[in-house]
Amino acid sequence: MSRRALRRLRGEQRGQEPLGPGALQFVLRDDEDAEEEGPKGGPGVRVPGGTGKEGVQVNNRFELINIEDLEDDTVVNGERSDCVRAHSMASGNKARPPRGGPETQRDGDVIKAVFPEQSNVSGKLRKKKKKQRNKKNSTGETSENGLEDIDRILERIEDGSGLSHPGPPLPSSRKHVLHVEHRHLNPDTELKRYFGARAVLGEQRPRQRQRVYPKCTWLTTPKSTWPRYSKPGLSMRLLESKKGLSFFAFEHSEDYQQAQHKFLVAVESMEPNNIVVLLQTSPYHVDSLLQLSDACRFQDDQEMARDLTERALYSMECAFHPLFSLTSGTCRLDYRRPENRSFYLALYKQMSFLEKRGCPRTALEYCKLILSLEPDEDPLCMLLLIDHLALRARNYEYLIHLFQEWEAHRNLSQLPNFAFSVSLAYFLLSQQIDLPQQELNSTREKASTLIQQALIMFPGVLMPLLESCSVRPDAAVSGHHFFGPEAEISQPPALSQLVSLYLGRSHFLWKEPATMSWLEENVREVLRAVDAGDPTVQACEGRRKVLYQRAPRNIHRHVILSEIKEAVAVLPPEVTTQSVMGFDPLPPLDTIYSYVRPERLSPVSHGNTIALFFRSLLPNYTMEGERLEEGVAGGLNRNQGLNRLMLAVRDLMANFHFNDMEVPHEENPEGEADWD
C-alpha cells in the first residue's frame, strides 16, 4: 500500500509527518540512480524522480522553487562560484574528488551523495543555452528587447483566403531607403534628446503616465481628454499580395457611410458648427476631425488643431489590418480610393505640425512613411519635401543615399529642390571635422560639381535665392545675361512653380556665411563656363523648354497642401478656378468609388419656375416635397406639394384686378393715376 493511502487511513494530512533531526536534508538524484538504489532512509528522505538534476544537495525543501536559477547563477563555464563553494564547506561537505564515482557519506539516516559529473553536466547545459541564444541573435529572429520581431511573425501568417503575406522582401537598398523606425515616430524621443526627459515629461508620476487605453499605438499617444473610443465602423482589408508587396484599403461600414453623407452635407453648408454637432454623435469620424482641425488652424488655435489631427490618426490606426506594417516599406494604399486619402492627409497634417514644433527628425520619418505608401505614383509629391526635412534634421547621409539609389529611375536631379539640396548636403558634410581629410576633400569636390550642374540647369534660382537671403550680388553676376532677369522670365510656368516652392521653403538654409562663400565661388566658375561656350549650357537650355511644360496633378496638390504663398500664387487658372475642398484637395480623375453618395435633388433641379419665383421672394420658402426628399418623416409627396403651391398662387392672383387698371390721362394736371 502506498504512503498516500496509509496517510488517508490514519487521517493524517500531507506535511504533518514527524520531523527528525535530519528530516529536512534530502538528496535529488537521477531516475536511473533512484531505480538502482531504491528508496533509502527514513520519512525525511525524499528522492523525486524525473527532475534531471544530478547531485544537487538541498537543506531546505523550499529551495526547490529556485533550483533552476540556482544552477544558472552558480555554474559559470562548468565551475561553481566561490559563494557556493563556501556554502558547501560550511555545510560539512568534503572536497569533491576530481574523478571517479560519487562519494557517499552517512550522517545518521540521511544519505548525502556528491557527484563529480555535476559541474560538467551543468556547464554543458549552460553552454547549450548560450549557444541557442546566440543562434537566435545571429539569425535576427529576436529584436532588441529579446522578443521575436512582430513583422517576421506576421510575414509567416497566411490569410484565410489562401494569400501569402507578404512575399519576398524588396531589394535591400530600396527597403533601406523607405524603412521607417518606430522610435523616430514619437516626437518625445527627439524632444528628450534636445531638452532632456525631465523637461519633456515634467513632474508627472510614472502612474500618471500609464495609458488607460487597451490598444498600443505608434503614431499618437491617446489622451485622457479624448472621448471614450468605440469602433466608428472604419476597418482595413487586404486586397492582394504580389511581388513582395501587400495592397490594403480602408473600408466604411453602413453606419460610417451615413456619417460620411452627413459630413458632406455639413461641408456644403459652410458652417463649422454643423461639423461639431456631427462629432458629438461620431467623435472619431476622420474627415470631420480633419476638417475641423483646419478650421481651428485658420483661427490660430494650433493646439486644438493638432489634437484633432492626432485623434483622427488614432482612429485610423485602431482600424489597421494585422498584416499592415508601418515600417517594412512593403505595404501600399491606393490614393485613388477615397477611403485611403484620409490617412494620407492625416499623416501630412501631423508632419506639418511636427515640423513647426521643431521636430524635423520625426517629421522626416512621417515623410518617409507617406512616400512608402505609394512611392511610384507619389500622390502628395513628397519628393518635393523630403530633401528639406533631411537637411533640417542634419541627416545628410540619408539624403545622399536616397539620391544615389533613385536617380537612375526617378531622375531626381531634374527637380530643382534635389539639384540644390543634394549639393548643399555634400558641402555641409564636408564641413564636419571628424572625417578624414581625404574624404573631406573628395566630398567638397563632389559638392562643387553638383552645385555647378544645378546652376547651369536652373539659372533662374540664383537671383531669387540671393534676394530671399538678403544678399546683394556682384554687378558681374547680376548684369550677366545668364543670371539676369531674363533667366527668371524665360523659364516655363511649371518650372517657376517648382522654384517658388523650393525658395519659399528652404531659402534660409543658405544664409550661413560659409555656404554663401562656397556658392559665390561656384557661380564664378559657371560664368566662366558660359563665356567659354560650354555645350552643356545649350543642352540644359533645350531640356528646360521640353521637360517643364505642364506640372502634373500631384504637384498642384502638394502646393495647395503646403500653403506657401509664393507657390500658390503661380498655380495655373485651371486649378485656381475650381473649388478645392480641404478634406480632399484635387481628387484624382480616375477615382475608384466603393459606394456612391445618394443624390440630393436641389431646388434648381426640380425645374419649377413658380417655386423658384417664390424662393427668390421668400428665401425660407420650402416645398413639402423637398422635405420628403431630405428624409423628413410625415412630409407630402411632390405632387401634393405642387397642388398646394398652385392653390396659393390662385389665391394670390385673385387679389389683383388687371382689367380694372386705367392709364393716367395726359390732361390730368397733377399727373396722378386714377386707381379704382
Side-chain angles (χ1 to χ4, degrees):
M1 186 176 295
S2 64
R3 295 182 181 179
R4 183 177 181 182
L6 289 175
R7 284 198 304 268
R8 290 184 178 179
L9 291 176
R10 295 174 184 175
E12 299 176 354
Q13 296 182 1
R14 188 174 182 178
Q16 292 183 355
E17 299 87 22
L19 300 178
L24 291 180
Q25 295 182 351
F26 53 92
V27 180
L28 295 178
R29 289 191 255 177
D30 200 357
D31 295 343
E32 298 178 358
D33 298 337
E35 291 177 1
E36 293 177 0
E37 299 181 6
K40 295 181 181 181
V45 178
R46 184 179 179 186
V47 186
T51 58
K53 309 294 181 183
E54 299 180 358
V56 180
Q57 180 179 356
V58 181
N59 294 329
N60 186 353
R61 64 180 61 188
F62 297 104
E63 292 180 1
L64 286 175
I65 299 175
N66 299 324
I67 189 67
E68 189 171 340
D69 298 338
L70 178 65
E71 178 190 81
D72 293 341
D73 295 338
T74 57
V75 179
V76 180
N77 296 329
E79 299 181 1
R80 281 190 172 273
S81 60
D82 297 338
C83 60
V84 177
R85 190 178 297 110
H87 176 71
S88 301
M89 295 178 63
S91 302
N93 295 337
K94 294 182 179 181
R96 184 182 298 107
R99 295 183 183 274
E103 179 182 357
T104 306
Q105 298 179 359
R106 185 174 295 276
D107 185 4
D109 295 334
V110 181
I111 298 176
K112 301 179 181 179
V114 181
F115 293 87
E117 297 86 356
Q118 174 189 357
S119 61
N120 296 331
V121 175
S122 302
K124 290 180 180 179
L125 293 174
R126 184 66 175 176
K127 291 179 180 179
K128 186 176 181 181
K129 291 180 180 179
K130 288 184 176 180
K131 186 182 295 184
Q132 293 178 354
R133 188 179 299 110
N134 295 333
K135 184 178 180 181
K136 290 183 178 180
N137 292 334
S138 62
T139 55
E141 290 295 325
T142 55
S143 61
E144 297 179 356
N145 297 329
L147 300 176
E148 190 171 1
D149 190 4
I150 299 177
D151 294 335
R152 295 183 178 271
I153 297 176
L154 295 179
E155 288 178 0
R156 297 193 294 266
I157 298 177
E158 292 188 357
D159 190 70
S161 59
L163 300 175
S164 59
H165 319 293
L170 289 175
S172 58
S173 60
R174 184 119 179 213
K175 181 179 180 181
H176 176 71
V177 169
L178 298 179
H179 179 68
V180 179
E181 299 181 15
H182 274 146
R183 62 190 182 95
H184 288 306
L185 290 174
N186 187 2
D188 292 342
T189 304
E190 186 172 5
L191 293 176
K192 289 177 185 177
R193 187 169 68 250
Y194 294 154
F195 308 107
R198 183 175 295 275
V200 176
L201 300 178
E203 299 296 334
Q204 298 178 354
R205 296 181 179 179
R207 182 177 301 177
Q208 294 177 352
R209 293 198 301 265
Q210 292 179 356
R211 297 179 180 175
V212 297
Y213 291 83
K215 188 174 181 63
C216 179
T217 56
W218 291 104
L219 298 176
T220 57
T221 302
K223 301 179 181 179
S224 59
T225 57
W226 291 357
R228 183 178 182 85
Y229 178 78
S230 60
K231 294 183 178 180
L234 188 65
S235 61
M236 179 186 284
R237 69 185 178 96
L238 177 64
L239 299 178
E240 61 177 348
S241 293
K242 61 180 181 180
K243 298 181 181 180
L245 302 177
S246 300
F247 297 85
F248 297 87
F250 283 96
E251 285 186 334
H252 295 171
S253 64
E254 293 184 0
D255 295 338
Y256 198 93
Q257 292 179 16
Q258 296 297 328
Q260 187 73 11
H261 299 331
K262 295 179 181 178
F263 164 74
L264 296 176
V265 174
V267 170
E268 292 174 355
S269 67
M270 305 297 291
E271 181 59 42
N273 292 330
N274 295 337
I275 301 179
V276 176
V277 173
L278 176 60
L279 286 176
Q280 292 178 356
T281 56
S282 302
Y284 285 94
H285 184 258
V286 177
D287 286 341
S288 299
L289 292 170
L290 296 179
Q291 190 72 16
L292 191 60
S293 174
D294 289 340
C296 294
R297 185 167 53 86
F298 293 150
Q299 297 177 1
D300 294 334
D301 192 353
Q302 301 294 332
E303 188 67 25
M304 179 59 67
R306 184 170 63 248
D307 185 82
L308 293 172
T309 302
E310 292 178 356
R311 198 199 303 181
L313 277 176
Y314 177 74
S315 177
M316 304 198 78
E317 189 173 2
C318 290
F320 280 175
H321 192 275
L323 298 178
F324 184 80
S325 174
L326 294 172
T327 60
S328 63
T330 60
C331 297
R332 300 289 183 264
L333 284 176
D334 194 349
Y335 192 81
R336 295 176 298 173
R337 298 180 179 272
E339 297 86 355
N340 296 340
R341 296 173 198 166
S342 301
F343 188 57
Y344 279 89
L345 297 176
L347 290 175
Y348 188 92
K349 295 178 186 298
Q350 180 70 359
M351 178 193 63
S352 301
F353 285 126
L354 291 171
E355 183 186 4
K356 295 177 181 177
R357 192 181 177 185
C359 302
R361 183 65 182 86
T362 311
L364 174 62
E365 215 67 22
Y366 271 82
C367 185
K368 291 161 56 178
L369 174 58
I370 299 174
L371 183 60
S372 67
L373 295 178
E374 200 170 357
D376 295 331
E377 299 296 332
D378 195 8
L380 299 186
C381 208
M382 303 309 297
L383 289 178
L384 299 179
L385 177 62
I386 192 170
D387 62 298
H388 170 76
L389 295 176
L391 290 177
R392 284 202 58 189
R394 299 181 180 180
N395 198 348
Y396 312 129
E397 294 83 358
Y398 173 77
L399 178 58
I400 294 173
H401 181 61
L402 175 64
F403 178 77
Q404 293 174 349
E405 293 293 332
W406 283 23
E407 169 63 17
H409 64 281
R410 298 297 291 269
N411 293 326
L412 298 182
S413 60
Q414 305 304 314
L415 296 175
N417 59 307
F418 262 94
F420 284 88
S421 295
V422 174
S423 59
L424 181 60
Y426 272 106
F427 172 74
L428 295 176
L429 195 61
S430 66
Q431 297 295 104
Q432 298 181 0
I433 308 176
D434 53 349
L435 296 179
Q437 186 63 33
Q438 184 178 1
E439 185 176 353
L440 291 177
N441 295 335
S442 62
T443 305
R444 180 70 177 264
E445 293 178 1
K446 183 67 174 178
S448 300
T449 303
L450 290 177
I451 191 60
Q452 292 176 17
Q453 294 176 359
L455 290 171
I456 294 175
M457 184 64 190
F458 308 104
V461 177
L462 179 62
M463 300 306 295
L465 176 62
L466 297 179
E467 183 180 357
S468 300
C469 297
S470 302
V471 175
R472 179 177 298 178
D474 192 0
V477 177
S478 59
H480 200 279
H481 67 89
F482 189 74
F483 290 117
E486 297 180 358
E488 186 177 358
I489 297 174
S490 61
Q491 61 187 5
L495 181 57
S496 300
Q497 185 176 352
L498 294 176
V499 171
S500 301
L501 182 67
Y502 173 69
L503 295 178
R505 176 179 284 156
S506 305
H507 68 275
F508 64 91
L509 298 174
W510 296 81
K511 288 186 176 182
E512 295 294 331
T515 305
M516 275 296 168
S517 300
W518 167 71
L519 179 62
E520 182 182 0
E521 296 175 2
N522 290 278
V523 167
R524 297 186 181 279
E525 292 293 332
V526 170
L527 290 179
R528 295 191 188 99
V530 172
D531 296 337
D534 193 342
T536 308
V537 179
Q538 298 296 332
C540 291
E541 183 178 357
R543 197 181 307 167
R544 284 196 303 270
K545 296 179 180 179
V546 175
L547 296 179
Y548 305 98
Q549 294 298 325
R550 185 177 181 182
R553 195 174 182 85
N554 60 342
I555 292 182
H556 296 160
R557 189 181 298 119
H558 178 86
V559 171
I560 293 174
L561 290 174
S562 65
E563 298 180 355
I564 297 177
K565 297 180 180 179
E566 296 84 356
V568 175
V570 295
L571 282 173
E574 59 268 16
V575 177
T576 56
T577 53
Q578 59 178 313
S579 60
V580 179
M581 309 303 296
F583 66 93
D584 190 8
L586 296 181
L589 301 178
D590 53 348
T591 301
I592 301 176
Y593 294 100
S594 58
Y595 63 93
V596 182
R597 178 187 178 188
E599 296 183 1
R600 297 178 65 254
L601 298 178
S602 61
V604 179
S605 63
H606 290 168
N608 191 343
T609 307
I610 301 177
L612 294 177
F613 171 71
F614 279 98
R615 187 179 296 276
S616 63
L617 296 178
L618 304 173
N620 295 329
Y621 173 80
T622 303
M623 293 177 57
E624 296 292 339
E626 296 176 10
R627 295 181 183 177
L628 180 63
E629 291 164 357
E630 293 179 1
V632 180
L636 302 177
N637 57 24
R638 182 179 179 183
N639 294 332
Q640 292 175 344
L642 291 175
N643 293 336
R644 288 196 173 187
L645 176 62
M646 295 303 297
L647 292 176
V649 172
R650 187 184 304 172
D651 295 340
L652 183 61
M653 297 293 291
N655 296 329
F656 290 91
H657 303 281
F658 294 99
N659 296 329
D660 297 336
M661 291 185 181
E662 294 184 1
V663 181
H665 299 283
E666 296 180 359
E667 59 270 21
N668 191 345
E670 298 180 358
E672 296 179 358
D674 297 333
W675 298 85
D676 293 337

